[in-house]
């Protein structure tokens, strides 16, 4: 027993010893070793990437000369800084997204107030309202019910991962044909993640399951983009193109809903199947069916659907509000012949107006579960992804900065070489340039920037303007590489299932396929639908 205190004291000393200097055997570290240790602690990869951003900015400011105002060069430098931090994630992405708030005023690009306005516009209001609705769908497990039905319809027996992926992508693309592609992504992402919630997470998740989860999220965001190309209501880019055509050529027949559909739908179908094939090749690996079958047994899925029982009043009301939102989105602005309900408010109401209005109803309508309890309360909204809002705001701020700084004019002048482009190479060249610019500015901003210039180039080349306008507008929708390319990408990025490398790995071949398909269809089907091979001289005289 006498040995016990000694053992405890010795153990106690051992616990303390790493925190105290050992006097019996002092370790003297040479000064050179201490300096090396200090340098290693400073020169970590993360710190190097942090310093690389401002360093790139400094090099551009000192070495690059642009034919334009100084603000255009500064804008290019700031873009290099921000995009380097985004690509490397050296600084957390939401913090990087706030960098324009101090970089733009310091570099003389825009005032603090102007930059701040970019962080809250109609599209961001649309995303905010839609996220509140998505949270309501998630809270009442509606996404689980929809996910079970879609999975039952497409999973196959035994499970066929490519078929299930096709079903999810096709559903998203179809929804996106009749509403804005951002709204379609916001509507379908909770359904997709409802399917993915069936799988384990963390170390327990197999590689096959992990890759399938990535494929599903990528399928939703790219399926929404591809589906939106089919119709005039699918994306704002198509409406901008139609509006510019009527503005510049009022005596010509306007591009109707049906005219666009005859060209846009075949284009979207070909790109869609290319998307599905790319995702299957990259993410559906051998053994995926066995890995997924453990969680997607049809009999078990049917039992789970029965357990959910009939829809409650709250579920029906949330779905009704969502349905009303979809209808209002689809009918706000249709065509020139049928202006939609937005004309009643002289164009002042936007998609964000409707989104927030419908979200507000959720805080007014009772859920009939507890007295006085509404469908939603603010505590349920604490999961709103404000980091995504900041990322989206940064994208709009950069788009405005490119335009106001004069950098947009310099980019426009760089397209003058298209006047020397051979006839058959016009569509791929225009589409490629537009698809590159759209990665750094919004789709709508790219179209607004590029299309008027293409009209002037078409005039000097004496070719039909739609031969350049259509590839320019469609190329602006090929924003497949970066999360900031379009809000749809950000919706997928917010799930945490995908990384930037996934978007580049999938988006690059998809962009190449899209340009190739457009290059084939524009001189053939486009000539038939738009009449690009007729009445060129008469058109320019008008």
């Amino acid at each position: 027993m006498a040995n016990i205190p000694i053992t405890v004291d010795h153990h106690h000393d051992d616990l303390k010893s790493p925190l105290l200097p050992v006097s019996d055997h002092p370790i003297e570290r040479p000064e050179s070793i201490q300096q090396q240790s200090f340098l290693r602690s400073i020169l970590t990869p993360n710190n190097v990437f942090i310093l690389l951003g401002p360093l790139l900015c400094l090099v551009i400011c000192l070495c690059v000369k642009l034919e334009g105002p100084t603000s255009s060069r500064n804008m290019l430098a700031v873009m290099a800084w921000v995009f380097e931090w985004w690509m490397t994630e050296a600084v957390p992405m939401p913090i990087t997204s706030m960098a324009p708030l101090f970089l733009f005023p310091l570099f003389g690009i825009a005032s603090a107030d102007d930059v701040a306005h970019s962080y809250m516009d109609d599209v961001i209001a649309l995303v905010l309202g839609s996220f509140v609705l998505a949270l309501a769908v998630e809270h009442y497990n509606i996404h689980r019910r929809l996910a079970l039905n879609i999975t039952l319809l497409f999973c196959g027996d035994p499970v066929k991962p490519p078929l299930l992926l096709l079903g999810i992508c096709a559903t998203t693309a179809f929804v996106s044909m009749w509403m804005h592609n951002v709204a379609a992504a916001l509507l379908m992402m909770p359904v997709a993640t409802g399917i993915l919630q069936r799988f384990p997470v963390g170390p327990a998740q197999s590689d096959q399951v992990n890759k399938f989860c990535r494929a599903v999220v990528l399928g939703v965001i790219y399926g929404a983009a591809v589906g939106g190309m089919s119709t005039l209501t699918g994306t704002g880019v198509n409406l901008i193109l139609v509006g510019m055509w009527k503005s510049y050529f009022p005596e010509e027949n306007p591009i109707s809903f049906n005219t666009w559909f005859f060209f846009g739908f075949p284009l979207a179908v070909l790109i869609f199947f290319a998307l599905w094939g790319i995702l299957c090749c990259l993410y559906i690996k051998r053994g995926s069916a066995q890995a997924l079958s453990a969680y997607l047994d049809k009999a078990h899925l049917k039992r789970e659907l029965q357990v959910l029982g009939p829809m409650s009043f709250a579920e029906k009301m949330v779905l009704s509000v969502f349905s009303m939102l979809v209808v209002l989105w689809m009918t706000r602005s249709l065509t020139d012949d049928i202006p939609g309900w937005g004309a009643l408010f002289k164009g002042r109401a936007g998609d964000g107006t409707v989104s927030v209005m419908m979200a507000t109803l959720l805080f007014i309508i009772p859920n009939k579960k507890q007295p006085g309890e509404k469908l939603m309360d603010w505590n349920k909204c604490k999961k709103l992804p404000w980091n995504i809002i900041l990322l989206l705001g940064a994208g709009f701020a950069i788009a405005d900065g490119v335009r106001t700084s004069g950098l947009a004019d310099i980019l426009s002048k760089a397209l003058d070489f298209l006047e020397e482009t051979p006839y058959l190479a016009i569509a791929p060249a225009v589409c490629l340039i537009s698809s590159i610019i759209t990665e750094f500015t919004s789709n709508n901003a790219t179209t607004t920037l590029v299309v008027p210039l293409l009209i002037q180039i078409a005039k000097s080349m004496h070719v039909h303007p739609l031969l350049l306008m259509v590839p320019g507008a469609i190329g602006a929708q090929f924003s497949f590489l970066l999360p900031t390319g379009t809000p749809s990408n950000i919706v997928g990025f917010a799930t945490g299932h995908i990384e930037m490398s996934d978007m580049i790995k999938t988006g690059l071949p998809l962009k190449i396929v899209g340009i190739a398909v457009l290059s084939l269809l524009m001189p053939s089907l486009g000539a038939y639908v738009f009449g690009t091979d007729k009445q060129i001289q008469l058109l320019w005289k008008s």
Side-chain angles (χ1 to χ4, degrees):
M1 294 293 291
N3 291 334
I4 294 175
I6 297 172
T7 304
V8 172
D9 288 342
H10 179 65
H11 181 63
H12 187 63
D13 289 341
D14 285 342
L15 289 175
K16 283 186 175 181
S17 60
L19 306 178
L20 300 172
V22 181
S23 57
D24 294 338
H25 302 285
I27 300 174
E28 295 183 2
R29 302 183 67 186
E31 187 176 345
S32 61
I33 296 177
Q34 292 178 0
Q35 289 177 349
Q36 289 177 7
S37 177
F38 176 74
L39 286 174
R40 286 177 182 173
S41 66
I42 294 296
L43 297 176
T44 61
N46 189 67
N47 287 341
V48 170
F49 286 136
I50 290 174
L51 291 172
L52 185 59
L55 184 62
L56 285 172
C57 180
L58 180 63
V59 168
I60 292 174
C61 286
L62 294 178
C63 303
V64 175
K65 303 295 181 185
L66 297 177
E67 295 181 2
T70 306
S71 59
S72 62
R73 182 204 62 202
N74 292 350
M75 183 64 213
L76 184 64
V78 168
M79 283 174 64
W81 182 340
V82 172
F83 278 99
E84 192 276 330
W85 276 7
W86 266 337
M87 293 291 288
T88 61
E89 297 189 30
V91 177
M93 192 169 283
I95 303 302
T96 303
S97 299
M98 290 192 289
L101 288 167
F102 69 86
L103 288 176
F104 282 22
L106 294 180
F107 281 83
I109 297 168
S111 69
D113 284 341
D114 290 339
V115 182
H117 288 161
S118 299
Y119 284 76
M120 181 52 73
D121 75 349
D122 185 62
V123 174
I124 292 179
L126 179 148
V127 173
L128 268 174
S130 300
F131 270 132
V132 172
L133 281 157
L135 288 174
V137 167
E138 184 179 345
H139 177 72
Y140 291 105
N141 269 330
I142 299 172
H143 66 305
R144 181 175 175 79
R145 191 184 293 274
L146 292 173
L148 283 170
N149 280 292
I150 290 177
T151 309
L152 273 170
L153 185 61
F154 290 105
C155 75
D157 193 12
V159 176
K160 297 180 178 63
L163 181 63
L164 178 56
L165 180 62
L166 177 65
I168 296 168
C169 295
T171 304
T172 306
F174 178 77
V175 170
S176 184
M177 288 172 61
W178 313 109
M179 68 172 70
H180 196 283
N181 49 20
V182 180
L186 286 164
L187 175 66
M188 287 300 300
M189 195 58 72
V191 177
T193 53
I195 296 172
L196 304 185
Q197 284 174 359
R198 308 187 60 79
F199 306 131
V201 294
Q205 190 179 71
S206 65
D207 183 59
Q208 292 93 337
V209 171
N210 178 269
K211 286 187 177 295
F212 181 77
C213 292
R214 293 170 187 264
V216 167
V217 174
L218 290 168
V220 169
I221 59 175
Y222 292 145
V226 173
M229 299 174 192
S230 304
T231 62
L232 290 183
T233 56
T235 174
V237 169
N238 296 344
L239 293 171
I240 291 172
L241 172 68
V242 171
M244 286 189 175
W245 170 252
K246 184 176 181 181
S247 175
Y248 279 86
F249 305 99
E251 296 180 9
E252 294 298 313
N253 291 329
I255 300 175
S256 66
F257 188 96
N258 289 337
T259 302
W260 183 266
F261 184 80
F262 288 143
F263 178 80
F265 183 71
L267 173 77
V269 168
L270 292 174
I271 298 176
F272 173 81
F273 280 108
L275 165 65
W276 179 55
I278 291 168
L279 290 175
C280 287
C281 290
L282 292 177
Y283 294 98
I284 306 297
K285 298 300 181 183
R286 190 173 292 176
S288 295
Q290 291 81 357
L292 298 180
S293 60
Y295 312 101
L296 295 175
D297 178 71
K298 263 200 166 183
H300 184 58
L301 291 171
K302 288 179 181 177
R303 284 196 300 271
E304 285 195 27
L305 198 56
Q306 291 173 352
V307 168
L308 288 177
M311 293 183 69
S312 65
F313 173 81
E315 289 179 76
K316 290 177 181 177
M317 290 309 300
V318 170
L319 270 182
S320 298
V321 171
F322 225 136
S323 301
M324 287 170 59
L325 176 60
V326 170
V327 171
L328 290 171
W329 270 337
M330 289 172 56
T331 57
R332 181 179 68 86
S333 178
L334 298 175
T335 62
D336 293 326
D337 299 328
I338 309 173
W341 62 263
L344 298 174
F345 301 92
K346 299 181 180 179
R348 296 190 185 96
D351 288 335
T353 309
V354 183
S355 182
V356 174
M357 182 177 72
M358 290 294 104
T360 303
L361 289 179
L362 299 178
F363 296 82
I364 298 173
I365 300 172
N367 65 6
K368 289 194 174 181
K369 288 188 174 181
Q370 298 291 336
E373 192 172 280
K374 311 300 182 184
L375 291 173
M376 287 289 284
D377 59 58
W378 186 245
N379 286 329
K380 298 186 182 78
C381 295
K382 288 180 178 177
K383 290 168 34 178
L384 279 172
W386 295 106
N387 57 327
I388 305 304
I389 303 302
L390 291 173
L391 182 62
L392 192 55
F396 290 135
I398 289 172
D400 288 341
V402 168
R403 179 176 53 82
T404 58
S405 66
L407 184 59
D409 297 329
I410 294 171
L411 293 173
S412 298
K413 290 177 182 177
L415 299 179
D416 289 343
F417 72 92
L418 287 172
E419 295 181 10
E420 308 298 327
T421 304
Y423 181 84
L424 291 178
I426 289 175
V430 169
C431 189
L432 176 63
I433 293 165
S434 185
S435 68
I436 292 173
I437 296 174
T438 195
E439 297 293 349
F440 304 100
T441 65
S442 70
N443 299 358
N444 293 348
T446 301
T447 308
T448 307
L449 163 70
V450 170
V451 169
L453 177 70
L454 294 176
I455 293 173
Q456 297 304 317
I457 294 174
K459 187 172 184 178
S460 64
M461 294 176 68
H462 295 285
V463 298
H464 198 289
L466 286 177
L467 194 64
L468 276 69
M469 293 171 67
V470 173
I474 292 177
Q477 300 175 59
F478 292 164
S479 49
F480 299 145
L481 299 182
L482 300 176
T484 53
T486 175
S488 303
N489 294 356
I490 295 176
V491 172
F493 204 73
T495 63
H497 285 287
I498 61 172
E499 300 171 355
M500 198 170 292
S501 58
D502 293 303
M503 295 192 65
I504 294 173
K505 184 168 65 173
T506 308
L508 186 59
L510 185 60
K511 189 187 286 275
I512 293 170
V513 169
I515 294 172
V517 170
L518 183 65
S519 302
L520 290 173
L521 289 185
M522 197 60 217
S524 52
L525 181 63
Y528 174 75
V529 173
F530 300 117
T532 55
D533 57 345
K534 300 174 184 176
Q535 301 179 342
I536 295 172
Q537 297 298 329
L538 180 62
L539 181 70
W540 287 121
K541 285 179 182 178
S542 65

